[in-house]
Amino acid sequence: MKLVMAVVQDNDAGRLIEKLSQKKFGLTKLASTGGFLKSGNTTLMIGVEEERLEELLAIIEKMCKPRKKIVTPLPAGPADAYVPYPVEVLVGGATVFILDVERFVKV
Amino acid sequence: MKLVMAVVQDNDAGRLIEKLSQKKFGLTKLASTGGFLKSGNTTLMIGVEEERLEELLAIIEKMCKPRKKIVTPLPAGPADAYVPYPVEVLVGGATVFILDVERFVKV
Amino acid sequence: MKLVMAVVQDNDAGRLIEKLSQKKFGLTKLASTGGFLKSGNTTLMIGVEEERLEELLAIIEKMCKPRKKIVTPLPAGPADAYVPYPVEVLVGGATVFILDVERFVKV
Ligand code: NI
Ligand code: NI
Ligand code: NI
């Protein structure tokens, strides 16, 4: 068995967790902040049998792949002083550590 | 040395932590949510010498074993519209990953 | 690659994270409470190549080493009933687990 520690963007976490639950992957979500990814992030701790590791990694890759997104910033001052226009930002990405589990116990 | 990542129910976490502290196990509590266990859960990170691993697992098993509990739900509407009666729910359970620690440093 | 789980005092976490970011160590901060260190603490998850492990450990040791600090407690009752005087407390310390990473994936 492997323990997968995946740091993903908060933005992607909800959809990823939903997908992994559908596919019956056991996971727990740790609150986390800053670091590996620029904006707010979430660390998922996922227990997985060796034979499903590639499937898991493919899902993470698919759901979290870096991509461009058009966002319109909110005006920072009085509305007439500054007219915001849409900008392209890069979102997504994931940092994934795969650890070997020496022993697994379910109570 | 081993690093034990134990996901337990919030309900059981307080008593388990108290017991482990009494027995001088070093631990840290990570905020966590959802996943391996149905309701709110807590992840404990516990450093343990090989010779105390079985003792640790026995404590987790004892404090967190799945059990039935009688709960009386709160009425969801006006008191006269619905009289709640006690129901049996399953509580407890733990998911435990044991990882080998390559090196341990205490500053 | 190694995954370093470092439990440090909240007090030291900010300066440590700043230093590690300067030095381009990838890290994520997990919310944590109680346990290995007496007061509030923070768990950092740091991915590191073998060749930079000693550098990382030296930084943690430097930034978190236990030390005495003079603090003046706030008066607990009416100001004229109790005049607080400065006391020396021990702060700092870190508990560090180094785990081997079987595989590392960056999406
Ligand atoms: Ni295995
Ligand atoms: Ni060992
Ligand atoms: Ni390596």
Side-chain angles (χ1 to χ4, degrees):
Chain A
M1 184 168 226
K2 304 298 170 195
L3 185 63
V4 173
M5 303 293 281
V7 185
V8 305
Q9 279 204 350
D10 288 345
N11 265 332
D12 293 333
R15 283 163 48 251
L16 177 59
I17 289 170
E18 200 181 337
K19 188 71 173 180
L20 294 177
S21 301
Q22 260 174 36
K23 298 287 186 179
K24 309 290 183 214
F25 286 100
L27 69 86
T28 198
K29 183 184 166 187
L30 303 174
S32 67
T33 54
F36 286 119
L37 303 168
K38 299 290 154 51
S39 68
N41 61 52
T42 295
T43 298
L44 301 181
M45 195 167 81
I46 311 164
V48 63
E49 291 300 333
E50 274 82 349
E51 53 270 32
R52 298 196 69 198
L53 180 59
E54 295 311 319
E55 181 190 352
L56 171 63
L57 295 176
I59 293 173
I60 295 173
E61 194 150 340
K62 190 182 164 193
M63 307 297 280
C64 302
K65 71 163 157 275
R67 59 208 179 269
K68 285 170 184 165
K69 197 180 158 184
I70 308 292
V71 298
T72 304
L74 290 175
D80 56 353
Y82 169 70
V83 180
Y85 56 96
V87 292
E88 222 180 48
V89 294
L90 197 64
V91 296
T95 300
V96 185
F97 300 96
I98 295 122
L99 308 174
D100 189 50
V101 174
E102 202 172 270
R103 194 167 145 198
F104 174 67
V105 177
K106 194 117 181 67
V107 172
Chain B
M1 183 168 227
K2 303 300 170 195
L3 186 63
V4 173
M5 302 295 279
V7 184
V8 305
Q9 280 205 348
D10 288 346
N11 265 331
D12 293 333
R15 284 162 48 249
L16 177 60
I17 289 170
E18 199 180 337
K19 187 71 174 181
L20 294 176
S21 301
Q22 261 175 36
K23 297 287 185 179
K24 310 288 182 216
F25 285 100
L27 68 87
T28 198
K29 182 184 165 186
L30 302 175
S32 66
T33 54
F36 287 118
L37 303 168
K38 301 288 156 52
S39 67
N41 62 52
T42 296
T43 298
L44 301 181
M45 196 168 81
I46 312 164
V48 63
E49 292 300 333
E50 274 83 348
E51 52 270 31
R52 296 196 70 196
L53 180 59
E54 296 310 319
E55 181 191 351
L56 171 63
L57 294 176
I59 293 173
I60 294 174
E61 194 150 341
K62 190 182 165 192
M63 308 297 280
C64 302
K65 72 161 155 279
R67 58 208 180 269
K68 285 170 185 166
K69 197 180 158 184
I70 308 292
V71 298
T72 303
L74 290 175
D80 57 350
Y82 169 69
V83 180
Y85 55 96
V87 292
E88 222 180 51
V89 294
L90 197 65
V91 296
T95 300
V96 185
F97 300 95
I98 295 122
L99 308 173
D100 190 49
V101 174
E102 203 171 88
R103 194 168 144 198
F104 174 67
V105 177
K106 194 117 182 64
V107 172
Chain C
M1 185 168 224
K2 304 300 170 194
L3 185 63
V4 173
M5 303 294 279
V7 184
V8 305
Q9 281 204 347
D10 288 346
N11 265 331
D12 293 333
R15 286 163 46 249
L16 177 60
I17 289 170
E18 200 181 337
K19 187 73 174 179
L20 294 176
S21 301
Q22 260 176 37
K23 297 286 186 178
K24 308 289 181 215
F25 286 100
L27 68 88
T28 197
K29 182 183 165 187
L30 303 174
S32 66
T33 54
F36 287 120
L37 303 168
K38 299 289 155 52
S39 68
N41 62 53
T42 296
T43 298
L44 301 181
M45 197 166 82
I46 312 163
V48 62
E49 292 300 333
E50 274 82 350
E51 53 270 31
R52 296 195 70 197
L53 180 60
E54 296 310 319
E55 181 191 350
L56 170 63
L57 294 176
I59 292 172
I60 295 174
E61 193 150 341
K62 191 183 164 193
M63 308 297 279
C64 302
K65 71 161 155 277
R67 58 209 181 268
K68 285 170 185 164
K69 196 180 158 184
I70 307 293
V71 298
T72 303
L74 290 175
D80 56 350
Y82 170 70
V83 180
Y85 55 97
V87 291
E88 223 180 49
V89 294
L90 198 65
V91 296
T95 300
V96 185
F97 300 95
I98 295 121
L99 307 173
D100 189 50
V101 174
E102 203 171 270
R103 194 168 144 198
F104 174 67
V105 177
K106 194 117 183 64
V107 172

